Amino acid sequence: PLTQDNVITTSGNNLGFKGSYVNYYVANTVVLVPNYNDPNDAIANEIIESLYPSRTVTGIDCRNLYEWGGKVHCVTQQQPASFATGLNNNTRKESTIIQNFPNPFSESSTLKIHLEKTADVIIRVYNHSGQLVSSQNQECLHAGYHHLRISACNLSEGIYTYVVVIDNANRYSGRMTIHE
């Protein structure tokens, strides 16, 4: 369902529209569900709980986040490779990393990177406990676009963080989900 009433922020701002529960986030042992201090929160949580019986469903108050266009799933996604200042950003030259695809995946996924100059690249994968579970070195990649494969071989189902290190200086990170 949608919320029964229009969403009202914790400061009392009526957003003028109802909230949706479909933008939930599935993690290893829990499912985080947007809640709005609405009578339909409990109904939506029960429906989602029936879809994921082996996980704990937890409602997360998203009223203030929703005011700015996001919910639980949105804020759990990748971060930009660089932060734009809005000032002459289009003239800045740097390497970029594009989120791995497909994500989630079961066998392998591809990271697309663009290097501004020849560089050594390392991809490190960490599990939910912060332990390094995989490391892949690519030496002397030339400037331009590259597609680097991340293998799920020897990795169990779950959510991982990858860190791309370029010339032992610039670091970019993202999240990936492996499912069986």
Side-chain angles (χ1 to χ4, degrees):
L2 292 174
T3 55
Q4 180 177 313
D5 304 311
N6 286 342
V7 176
I8 298 175
T9 66
T10 58
S11 63
N13 183 21
N14 186 331
L15 300 182
F17 44 84
K18 298 180 185 305
S20 169
Y21 298 96
V22 298
N23 199 335
Y24 56 86
Y25 180 76
V26 180
N28 289 339
T29 60
V30 298
V31 180
L32 305 178
V33 180
N35 278 194
Y36 307 94
N37 194 33
D38 185 88
N40 282 348
D41 289 352
I43 296 167
N45 290 347
E46 282 181 23
I47 291 170
I48 293 170
E49 192 170 50
S50 72
L51 299 172
Y52 301 94
S54 65
R55 290 179 168 90
T56 303
V57 170
T58 302
I60 304 292
D61 188 339
C62 288
R63 292 177 287 169
N64 296 339
L65 183 61
Y66 195 38
E67 182 176 26
W68 299 101
K71 287 186 233 134
V72 174
H73 189 268
C74 298
V75 298
T76 60
Q77 297 304 301
Q78 66 276 5
Q79 296 296 312
S82 64
F83 299 99
T85 62
L87 301 172
N88 299 323
N89 197 46
N90 60 346
T91 61
R92 187 174 173 189
K93 300 278 188 194
E94 65 179 39
S95 299
T96 55
I97 310 296
I98 298 173
Q99 175 72 32
N100 66 299
F101 184 82
N103 190 22
F105 64 100
S106 58
E107 293 178 18
S108 69
S109 185
T110 301
L111 264 178
K112 185 175 181 182
I113 69 170
H114 180 262
L115 299 173
E116 284 298 322
K117 61 183 179 112
T118 298
D120 294 334
V121 176
I122 302 170
I123 301 172
R124 295 183 180 130
V125 178
Y126 298 88
N127 66 15
H128 67 281
S129 298
Q131 297 169 315
L132 178 66
V133 294
S134 174
S135 184
Q136 175 182 336
N137 297 332
Q138 300 285 326
E139 295 180 6
C140 293
L141 291 179
H142 296 291
Y145 285 97
H146 300 273
H147 295 83
L148 304 178
R149 184 176 166 269
I150 299 174
S151 173
C153 186
N154 300 322
L155 298 177
S156 58
E157 184 174 61
I159 298 171
Y160 294 84
T161 299
Y162 62 83
V163 177
V164 179
V165 182
I166 299 174
D167 275 344
N168 213 17
N170 297 323
R171 297 183 187 323
Y172 304 90
S173 65
R175 295 174 87 185
M176 62 185 193
T177 302
I178 298 173
H179 65 86
E180 294 178 357

